[in-house]
Amino acid sequence: MIHPNVDQTSQKKQVKAVGMISGGLDSTLAAKIIKDLGVDVHGVYFAMPWGCCDKAMASEAAKRIGIKFIVLQLDERYLEIIRNPKHGYGTAMNPCIDCRVYMLSRAAQYMKHIGANFLFTGEVLGQRPMSQKRHSMKWIEKESGLEGRLLRPLCAQLLEPTIPESQGLIDRNKLLKMTGRSRKPQIQLAEDLNITEYNQPAGGCRLTDPGFSNRMQDTLTHGYRNFRETIALQWGRHFRINDDFKAIVGRDQYENESLLRYAHRDDTIMLFADKDKMGATLLLKGYGPSKEILSTAAGLIQQFSRYKDAAPMEVNYWPVSDPGNVQCATARKLEALEVQRMYI
Ligand code: SF4
C-alpha cells in the first residue's frame, strides 16, 4: 500500500479543498491524506435532524487532523428526496444515490463559495452496494455537478484521474487504491497514521432501519408541518389513530423530555392526572382532537404503564400553545389487537 507523505511545498499549501466528514474512519483517513499533502481542507458535515453520523465525533476528528469544520443542516428539500428518489431505495427508505447527489451538490456550492479547487470523500470503490459501485460513483459525480472535481483519495488510483490530479495540484502517486468491503486496509492505515479514535462503521443512517422507515413513510403519507417535526421520529412508540391523528408515547424520561422539547405548537400533550402515578408523556399530533381521540390516546398511556390492567385512569391534556388550558380525559381500555393495528 502506498502511504501518503507530507508534502509542504509552498505551491501545494495554496490548494484548497472541501472534504465530506462523517466522523467515521474512511472520511477521517481521506481528510488526513489530503491535509498531509499540504492542502487547506474545509471539512463539511451534514446534520440529519434525526441523527446519523456523530457530529461530535466528526468535529473531534477534524480538530485532531487540524482542518476546518463546517456543519450543513439538511432541510425540507431532503425530505422531498426521501419521498420521491429518482433512483429508488436501498433495503429500507434509504435513497442512497439521491442522498449522495444532494449532499455533494450542496458541498459543491460551498466549494465554489470558498473558491476551493476540488471536493473529496472517503468513499472506497465497491464498499457499499448502492452508491459505491463504479458506475454509481461516476453518475453521482456528474449529477452533483462535480465532474472531474470529485476526488476519492482512498481509491483514486482505481478511478480516472481528476482535474486536481491532472493539473498537478495533487500527486496521484500519493493516493490509494482501496477496494471492497474489508476494513483491514483502513485499520492498518489508521495505525500507520496514528489515528486511534473514530466511529465504528455503521450499516447506514436511520433510514436504513425498517422501524424508522415505517414511521417516515407514515409521516410522508399523512403530512408534516415542518422539517423540525420529523426529529421526533427517532423517539418513542408511534401510533396512527386515524388519518388525522397520530400519538407518540415516550419510553423513558429522556424520550418524554425530548418529545416535549420538539413538540409542534399545535400538538397536544398528555400525562396521567395523578402526578404520583408513573406514566409516559404522550404527544398527540393533529388539530382539534375529539373526546374519542383523546380517550384512545389516554388509553395508550395506560396501556404502556404499570396500570395497564387497572380501571380506566384520568389523563390531563393541554395544547402546547396554551399550557394553562389543562383539561382531563378518561382512558379507554384498548385491546392488544387494536394497539397492534395502530402501531407504526
Ligand atoms: S445511508 Fe443514509 S445518509 Fe448514507 S447515503 Fe444512504 S440515505 Fe444517505
Side-chain angles (χ1 to χ4, degrees):
M1 180 186 301
I2 298 162
H3 288 186
N5 296 324
V6 177
D7 185 343
Q8 295 186 340
T9 64
S10 56
Q11 186 201 359
K12 294 213 167 161
K13 272 185 189 162
Q14 293 161 11
V15 178
K16 202 188 264 190
V18 170
M20 305 277 275
I21 303 293
S22 68
L25 179 55
D26 294 357
S27 64
T28 305
L29 288 173
K32 174 78 175 146
I33 290 168
I34 298 301
K35 157 85 178 155
D36 284 354
L37 289 172
V39 176
D40 176 18
V41 175
H42 295 237
V44 164
Y45 172 87
F46 280 92
M48 289 209 174
W50 47 82
C52 176
C53 308
D54 190 326
K55 184 158 92 181
M57 203 75 186
S59 159
E60 270 306 304
K63 203 188 291 175
R64 273 195 301 274
I65 301 170
I67 61 168
K68 297 173 183 77
F69 184 67
I70 299 99
V71 177
L72 297 179
Q73 182 68 50
L74 294 174
D75 56 21
E76 245 87 9
R77 290 169 292 181
Y78 187 68
L79 275 189
E80 287 313 305
I81 286 164
I82 299 172
R83 185 197 297 278
N84 193 16
K86 266 202 239 168
H87 295 275
Y89 299 108
T91 49
M93 273 197 89
N94 47 313
C96 290
I97 293 181
D98 296 77
C99 171
R100 293 297 294 168
V101 168
Y102 178 71
M103 289 185 186
L104 286 168
S105 308
R106 280 191 60 187
Q109 285 168 7
Y110 182 71
M111 176 188 89
K112 284 181 195 141
H113 176 68
I114 63 165
N117 302 84
F118 65 96
L119 195 145
F120 69 88
T121 69
E123 288 166 297
V124 167
L125 185 65
Q127 188 177 74
R128 287 194 189 263
M130 215 175 159
S131 57
Q132 292 178 17
K133 289 205 170 119
R134 190 180 288 274
H135 67 273
S136 318
M137 286 166 92
K138 187 82 203 144
W139 185 89
I140 288 168
E141 179 182 327
K142 191 166 171 228
E143 275 293 289
S144 46
L146 278 162
E147 241 174 334
R149 299 246 168 232
L150 179 53
L151 184 70
R152 280 107 168 182
L154 300 187
C155 59
Q157 290 200 10
L158 300 171
L159 306 170
E160 282 170 37
T162 57
I163 293 170
E165 291 163 88
S166 308
Q167 289 180 340
L169 299 176
I170 290 291
D171 183 352
R172 183 172 171 84
N173 293 321
K174 305 238 170 92
L175 304 176
L176 307 180
K177 44 183 167 189
M178 289 180 181
T179 178
R181 299 176 75 95
S182 167
R183 306 287 304 159
K184 280 189 192 153
Q186 285 95 318
I187 291 165
Q188 180 59 53
L189 181 59
E191 272 180 43
D192 295 349
L193 294 175
N194 200 23
I195 293 172
T196 50
E197 289 173 47
Y198 48 85
N199 268 352
Q200 289 307 317
C205 68
R206 283 186 198 266
L207 292 165
T208 62
D209 170 59
F212 185 86
S213 293
N214 287 344
R215 301 195 284 276
M216 176 61 77
Q217 180 69 68
D218 175 83
T219 299
L220 295 178
T221 304
H222 291 92
Y224 56 91
R225 292 163 288 197
N226 60 43
F227 194 57
R228 191 179 145 85
E229 211 172 8
T230 64
I231 294 172
L233 292 179
Q234 68 189 298
W235 301 307
R237 296 180 174 91
H238 293 233
F239 299 90
R240 170 63 48 195
I241 298 177
N242 66 21
D243 280 345
D244 300 322
F245 289 95
K246 171 187 168 172
I248 311 175
V249 183
R251 288 173 295 191
D252 54 34
Q253 197 183 345
Y254 171 76
E255 288 192 347
N256 290 341
E257 287 167 4
S258 303
L259 288 173
L260 290 181
R261 200 162 347 113
Y262 287 92
H264 188 275
R265 68 184 310 281
D266 293 321
D267 289 346
T268 303
I269 296 169
M270 303 182 78
L271 284 173
F272 276 145
D274 184 342
K275 291 188 174 57
D276 294 331
K277 297 264 189 296
M278 285 263 291
T281 297
L282 183 145
L283 205 57
L284 184 60
K285 292 190 170 287
Y287 296 100
S290 65
K291 222 172 136 198
E292 288 72 30
I293 295 290
L294 287 161
S295 107
T296 300
L300 284 168
I301 298 181
Q302 186 162 355
Q303 179 75 21
F304 291 98
S305 75
R306 65 177 65 162
Y307 314 105
K308 181 172 176 256
D309 300 316
M313 294 171 67
E314 300 293 297
V315 167
N316 280 345
Y317 69 91
W318 61 93
V320 171
S321 57
D322 188 7
N325 183 13
V326 180
Q327 297 182 61
C328 195
T330 305
R332 179 167 75 76
K333 175 83 185 148
L334 302 174
E335 297 303 326
L337 257 180
E338 186 180 3
V339 174
Q340 203 184 330
R341 186 177 47 74
M342 288 190 285
Y343 188 74
I344 303 168

